[in-house]
Amino acid sequence: MPGRQWDAASKAKVVLEGLKGRSESAICKRHRIKPTEYRRWRKQFLANIARPFEPRRAPPAEGSRLLPGMSQKVWEEGAKALRVAQELIEALPIPVFFKSRDGKHLGANRAWEAYFGVNREAFIGRTVDELFVDAPGVAAQHQAADEDLWRNPGTRSYELEVPVHDGRFRHTLNYKATFAGADGEIAGLIGAIIDITERKRAEQRQAIEYRITRILSESETAAAAMPGVLAAFCETLGWACGARWSRDARLGAFRCEETWTEDDPAVAAFLAGSRESTYQPGQAGFIRRVLGTGEPAWIVDVTSEESFLRGKQAAKAGLRSAFALPIRLGDEVLGALEFFHRDTQQPDEWLLKTGAAIGLQIGHFMGRTQAERELRQSEARFRSLTGLSSDWYWEQDEEFRLTFMSSRFVERTGVDPGPFMGRRRWDDPSPNLTESDWARHKAQLERHEPFFDFEMERVGPDGSSVWLSVTGEPVFEDRKFRGYRGVGTDITERKRAQSVLRAAYDELARSNSELQQFAYVASHDLQEPLRMIGSYTQLLERRYGDKLDGDARDFMGFIVDGATRMKQLIEDLLAYSRVGTRGKELRRVPAQSALDRALANLRAAIESTAAQITHDTLPDVNADDTQLVQLFQNLIGNAIKFRKKEEPMRIHVGVQDAEGEWRFSVADNGIGIEQQYFERIFMVFQRLHTRDEYPGTGIGLAICKKVIDRHRGRIWVESAPGKGSTFVFTLPKIQKGET
C-alpha cells in the first residue's frame, strides 16, 4: 500500500500467497505493489530458502565473520524472513517440500509428512525414486518435471495420481518453482501439492452419468442399453469388466444377462461361464448377498475369498478385486451390477456411492420402460376415462388433422366439434391469432415438439367468444412420428376475468400517472410557498425582532420550524414515491462500494458521535446502486440516531450465504425496539418517539422496505429494548449467466 513499510516477515507472507496458487496479478493488485517488486521479493525469499532448512538458526557470535558485504542488520533481517517463511510453511495445510539441484530433498512441512506417511527427518537427502519405490512410473513423471525445470528455470504445474500414506492413489496438482543460491545459480526448487481428488472424482462421476444418461435415452430396453452402460463405467474408472444380473421369475433364480470386457479372451471366457450359470436366491455368495440384502458388496481379493464361488475362474482370467451393487427402484431390487479389477483394490466409499447412483439411474430407466409398455397396453382404457375429466382429450394424425375429440368438449364449450374433425387447427380463423402466430405454431408441430397452453378464440353457438387452451405432445411408435395427442381446457371465464383485471390495471396506471403529476407539483409548486414563508418569517425576525415581545419571537420560531419540517416531509415523500418510478435498471454492483458511499455520506454524523462501524466482506449483487446506497445510509443513520448516550456507538454490517439469497444485517448497540412495533416501523409516518427526542419524518424505514420490495427481497428487525437492534434484509443471488 502507498507509503507502507514492508518488513521481511510481511514480504515472506506475500510471496507465500503465490506458492499457494494465487496469481501474480492478483497478489500485486491486492497489496498494491508492482510486479517487479513482487518478483524481487520472491527471488530474495527463495534465496533464503536455499539455506539449510533449519527450524531455528542462531545468530552469528559477536565479532564473527559474516558473508562478504553482509552487515549484522542485513543478516538479522534475512534470518527473520527465513524464520517467518519456515514457520508459515510449517503451518500450511498443504504439503510443501524443498529439493536441492541434485534432486535430493532438503526438507518438508508437517502436511507433507502426514500426506505420504514418511518421517521427513529420515527422508532428508533422499530422491523421489526412494519416495515412490512401489510406483516407479510416478517417480519418473516427477523426475521429468524436475529436469524440465533445471533446463528452463521458473515455475511449473502439472497433475499426477500418486500413492499416499494409506496406499491408495490420490489425484494431485503439483506446483514447483526454482530458486537461486547466493551465487545467483539455480540451487533447487520448492514445491507444493494440492489434493484435487474430489474434483477429479466429481468430473469422473459427471462423465459417467452423462454417458450413461445418453445411452439410456437412446435405448428402448435394458438389454440394449447395458453393454454400453458397463463399458462407460469400466472405461472411465479403469476396471476390467462388468456384468448385469437379474432375477428370472420363470426359473425362480437369478442369472447373468449382459456383460462387457476389453479385448481379452481370458476375461471373455470368465464372463461367458458366468452367463451359462444360474443361481438360486440366498444369503451366501457375492451376487446372492447383494440381491438378498439390497446392499453393495466388495471383495478385495476374489482368489482368496471362499464365499466367491467363481474364484478359480476369476484367478485364471487375471482378476483380483470385485464389487457389486444393487439396481433399485425405490425399495425394490431389480438386479445387480458386478465389476472386476486386475489389481487388488481397497473398498472405496466414493466408488460405491457413485455405483449406487448409477444403480438407481438404471432402476428408474427399467421402471420407465416397463411403465411405457404398460401405458401402451392401457391406452384404450385411458380414452374411455377421459370422459370423466373436466377437460377434454384430443388427437391429431401425422398431417396434424384432428381425428378424435372426447365428449367433454361439447359439454364444456357448447361448440359442435363436427366441423373441426379432419381439419387442421389453422384451417379455421381465430380472432386472437395472426398469420405469424399460426406460422410459429405450425413450425413447432413440424419439429415434433410438445406445446403448452396454446390459446385460441372460437365463436360459440350464441355468437359470443369461447376461449380454448390446448396442450399437446408428439406421439411416436417404433421411433416413427404418429401425430399429436393432448388435452384442452375452456378458459372463457378466465379470459373474462383477465379483461376485468386489465381494466383495473389501466385505471391503476392512470392513478399512478396522477400520483407522479402530484409528485411534480409537490416538488415545485408546494415547496415554493414554504420557502417564502420561511424566508419572510426569518426576515421579519431579523428586521423587527427587537420590537417583538417573547411570545411573538416564539411564534416566529414555530412558523420557521413548521415550514422547515414541511419541506423535509415533502422531500421524504418524494423520495418514497420515486423508489419505484425513478429507479435505475438493476445490474451487478459491489455491495461494498455501496456501503463505502453510504459511509462517506454519513461521515459528519459518524465523526460527531465517534461511532465504530465494522463490516464483513460483502458480495456483488443485482441492484440499483443508488437505492442500495440509500438503503445502507438510512439503516446506519437510524442506528446512529437512536444510540445510547452513555456508551460508545458500535455498528456492524454483516452478510450470510442463505442458499439462493444473501442475508445482510445492520446490527447496533442502541436503545432497541419493543416487539409490538416490529411491523409498524416500516409504515409511512410511523414514529415511536417525539420530534423533541429524535428528529425525522418517519419515512426512512418505509423507503428501505420499498427499496427491498423492488429488489425482490425481504426486510425485518430483531431487537429488544435496551439491547440494540439488528435490521436484516435479503437480496437474491446473481444466478449463473445473469448479468
Side-chain angles (χ1 to χ4, degrees):
M1 298 190 181
R4 176 172 177 179
Q5 298 299 316
W6 291 91
D7 58 17
S10 299
K11 293 177 182 179
K13 291 180 181 179
V14 172
V15 172
L16 281 172
E17 291 183 27
L19 299 181
K20 290 192 287 184
R22 185 185 289 265
S23 67
E24 178 182 295
S25 60
I27 294 172
C28 293
K29 182 178 180 181
R30 177 184 179 189
H31 297 287
R32 300 181 184 178
I33 58 177
K34 295 180 179 179
T36 54
E37 191 172 13
Y38 168 74
R39 294 179 193 132
R40 186 174 70 253
W41 293 357
R42 183 174 61 190
K43 183 177 180 180
Q44 293 170 349
F45 172 83
L46 294 176
N48 287 333
I49 295 300
R51 303 175 191 176
F53 188 73
E54 299 171 355
R56 294 288 186 270
R57 190 172 184 183
E62 187 70 28
S64 62
R65 292 179 59 82
L66 301 173
L67 291 176
M70 179 183 292
S71 66
Q72 180 76 20
K73 182 177 180 181
V74 171
W75 189 95
E76 291 175 351
E77 182 177 355
K80 181 180 179 182
L82 176 61
R83 184 165 59 255
V84 170
Q86 292 174 346
E87 290 175 352
L88 288 173
I89 290 172
E90 185 70 4
L92 284 176
I94 60 173
V96 178
F97 61 90
F98 305 87
K99 288 184 182 179
S100 60
R101 182 63 180 79
D102 58 5
K104 295 181 179 180
H105 284 74
L106 297 174
N109 65 353
R110 278 196 302 267
W112 183 93
E113 190 176 47
Y115 195 71
F116 291 106
V118 175
N119 185 311
R120 52 183 167 168
E121 297 298 332
F123 199 76
I124 291 176
R126 302 196 179 188
T127 65
V128 70
D129 293 323
E130 296 173 279
L131 180 61
F132 300 110
V133 175
D134 297 327
V138 173
Q141 292 183 66
H142 276 309
Q143 186 63 36
D146 292 353
E147 293 298 333
D148 183 44
L149 270 172
W150 303 140
R151 290 190 299 270
N152 304 287
T155 61
R156 297 290 187 279
S157 64
Y158 57 93
E159 294 184 11
L160 188 60
E161 194 174 12
V162 302
V164 296
H165 63 90
D166 59 1
R168 300 182 184 181
F169 277 78
R170 304 284 291 181
H171 293 277
T172 61
L173 178 60
N174 296 264
Y175 290 98
K176 291 182 178 179
T178 54
F179 59 81
D183 57 359
E185 296 296 325
I186 299 303
L189 61 81
I190 178 175
I193 302 169
I194 309 297
D195 192 304
I196 58 171
T197 303
E198 297 308 317
R199 189 193 79 189
K200 296 293 289 187
R201 286 183 165 181
E203 292 172 354
Q204 287 178 330
R205 179 166 180 165
Q206 186 178 26
I208 295 171
E209 291 177 346
Y210 172 80
R211 185 172 168 184
I212 289 176
T213 299
R214 181 176 56 81
I215 292 169
L216 295 180
S217 66
E218 296 173 353
S219 304
E220 295 184 357
T221 64
M226 287 313 302
V229 170
L230 297 170
F233 194 93
C234 293
E235 290 175 347
T236 305
L237 298 178
W239 286 65
C241 63
R244 177 177 76 98
W245 294 76
S246 68
R247 298 182 187 275
D248 190 324
R250 181 176 55 85
L251 298 176
F254 59 92
R255 57 182 298 165
C256 180
E257 300 285 357
E258 297 89 24
T259 62
W260 178 89
T261 183
E262 52 195 6
D263 189 14
D264 188 317
V267 176
F270 166 73
L271 294 175
S274 298
R275 296 193 66 172
E276 293 171 359
S277 305
T278 58
Y279 298 89
Q280 298 300 315
Q283 293 297 318
F286 192 43
I287 297 299
R288 283 191 182 95
R289 187 161 72 250
V290 174
L291 292 177
T293 64
E295 299 294 332
W298 190 291
I299 299 178
V300 175
D301 189 351
V302 296
T303 62
S304 60
E305 181 69 34
E306 295 182 358
S307 63
F308 188 72
L309 304 180
R310 294 167 288 153
K312 292 183 179 180
Q313 297 91 323
K316 187 176 180 181
L319 303 175
R320 298 296 296 273
S321 286
F323 83 95
L325 52 97
I327 299 174
R328 305 179 66 103
L329 181 60
D331 294 332
E332 183 181 2
V333 179
L334 304 180
L337 296 179
E338 176 184 57
F339 298 95
F340 291 87
H341 202 286
R342 298 184 182 280
D343 302 320
T344 55
Q345 300 287 320
Q346 297 298 321
D348 189 328
E349 288 298 324
W350 172 84
L351 186 54
L352 290 173
K353 290 180 180 178
T354 301
I358 293 172
L360 288 172
Q361 191 176 5
I362 296 170
H364 285 298
F365 167 76
M366 295 173 66
R368 178 172 59 82
T369 55
Q370 175 64 26
E372 289 174 352
R373 287 194 298 270
E374 294 175 355
L375 180 62
R376 288 192 293 269
Q377 295 169 358
S378 64
E379 191 173 28
R381 294 193 298 272
F382 169 74
R383 287 189 178 184
S384 65
L385 292 173
T386 54
L388 301 175
S389 172
S390 60
D391 297 334
W392 59 86
Y393 175 78
W394 55 265
E395 291 182 356
Q396 290 174 293
D397 61 15
E398 298 93 330
E399 300 297 325
F400 313 122
R401 294 172 298 204
L402 188 64
T403 58
F404 175 80
M405 185 82 77
S406 66
S407 60
R408 185 64 68 180
F409 174 75
V410 66
E411 295 175 13
R412 293 287 294 170
T413 66
V415 177
D416 180 12
F420 301 104
M421 303 303 292
R423 295 170 62 83
R424 300 172 180 85
R425 199 168 286 123
W426 49 86
D427 290 339
D428 297 282
S430 179
N432 70 304
L433 298 172
T434 65
E435 288 296 328
S436 59
D437 293 332
W438 284 122
R440 285 192 295 271
H441 183 59
K442 286 189 284 187
Q444 190 175 22
L445 297 184
E446 288 168 355
R447 293 193 299 268
H448 303 161
E449 296 175 351
F451 63 90
F452 305 91
D453 301 324
F454 183 75
E455 297 182 358
M456 300 177 294
E457 184 181 2
R458 299 299 192 195
V459 179
D462 58 357
S464 62
S465 292
V466 176
W467 284 85
L468 313 176
S469 174
V470 292
T471 296
E473 64 176 6
V475 178
F476 296 91
E477 289 183 6
D478 299 326
R479 298 188 178 182
K480 184 176 181 181
F481 176 67
R482 297 297 184 184
Y484 272 84
R485 64 187 173 195
V487 294
T489 304
D490 184 349
I491 60 171
T492 304
E493 291 301 322
R494 190 183 80 191
K495 282 293 183 180
R496 290 173 181 168
Q498 286 177 348
S499 178
V500 174
L501 286 174
R502 182 169 295 278
Y505 173 81
D506 292 341
E507 175 63 21
L508 181 61
R510 184 194 63 78
S511 176
N512 282 339
S513 178
E514 292 179 353
L515 286 174
Q516 291 181 15
Q517 182 64 25
F518 167 76
Y520 177 82
V521 171
S523 64
H524 294 82
D525 299 349
L526 290 182
Q527 291 197 49
E528 181 59 30
L530 288 174
R531 282 193 292 270
M532 291 185 64
I533 292 172
S535 298
Y536 279 99
T537 303
Q538 291 172 343
L539 181 60
L540 284 172
E541 185 178 13
R542 287 196 301 271
R543 183 170 298 180
Y544 303 106
D546 56 346
K547 299 177 182 180
L548 300 176
D549 60 15
D551 288 343
R553 284 194 293 272
D554 288 342
F555 297 157
M556 300 280 279
F558 294 153
I559 294 172
V560 173
D561 181 63
T564 302
R565 286 192 286 108
M566 179 62 76
K567 181 177 182 297
Q568 184 62 49
L569 183 62
I570 291 173
E571 290 177 350
D572 287 350
L573 280 172
L574 284 173
Y576 180 78
S577 66
R578 288 172 175 170
V579 170
T581 59
R582 297 290 183 88
K584 296 190 293 186
E585 181 180 359
L586 304 187
R587 61 184 180 85
R588 187 187 190 106
V589 297
Q592 182 64 54
S593 297
L595 176 60
D596 292 342
R597 287 169 56 191
L599 295 177
N601 295 340
L602 294 168
R603 180 175 300 168
I606 294 171
E607 291 177 352
S608 65
T609 59
Q612 301 174 14
I613 301 178
T614 58
H615 61 83
D616 295 344
T617 300
L618 304 185
D620 289 359
V621 294
N622 260 7
D624 177 334
D625 57 344
T626 300
Q627 292 183 352
L628 190 57
V629 171
Q630 187 177 25
L631 176 65
F632 280 126
Q633 186 171 328
N634 284 5
L635 293 176
I636 296 173
N638 257 20
I640 293 174
K641 181 191 301 183
F642 297 104
R643 65 188 183 278
K644 294 177 183 177
K645 307 301 183 183
E646 65 276 7
E647 63 179 88
M649 185 70 216
R650 294 190 301 276
I651 302 171
H652 181 74
V653 180
V655 67
Q656 290 181 338
D657 187 340
E659 297 183 355
E661 62 186 13
W662 293 109
R663 183 170 296 172
F664 292 83
S665 61
V666 178
D668 62 59
N669 64 336
I671 63 175
I673 305 169
E674 294 183 8
Q675 185 174 358
Q676 65 194 75
Y677 301 118
F678 282 3
E679 295 185 8
R680 175 181 164 185
I681 60 175
F682 293 105
M683 300 171 65
V684 178
F685 301 135
Q686 297 301 309
R687 298 174 51 85
L688 305 184
H689 307 275
T690 67
R691 291 184 178 87
D692 293 336
E693 293 177 302
Y694 298 100
T697 60
I699 298 179
L701 288 178
I703 291 176
C704 291
K705 185 177 188 307
K706 198 166 185 180
V707 168
I708 287 299
D709 289 344
R710 181 175 179 241
H711 287 71
R712 309 190 313 278
R714 297 169 291 120
I715 186 169
W716 68 91
V717 65
E718 299 168 355
S719 181
K723 296 184 179 180
S725 303
T726 299
F727 284 85
V728 185
F729 64 90
T730 65
L731 292 175
K733 283 187 178 179
I734 299 175
Q735 302 302 316
K736 185 177 182 181
E738 185 178 2
T739 62

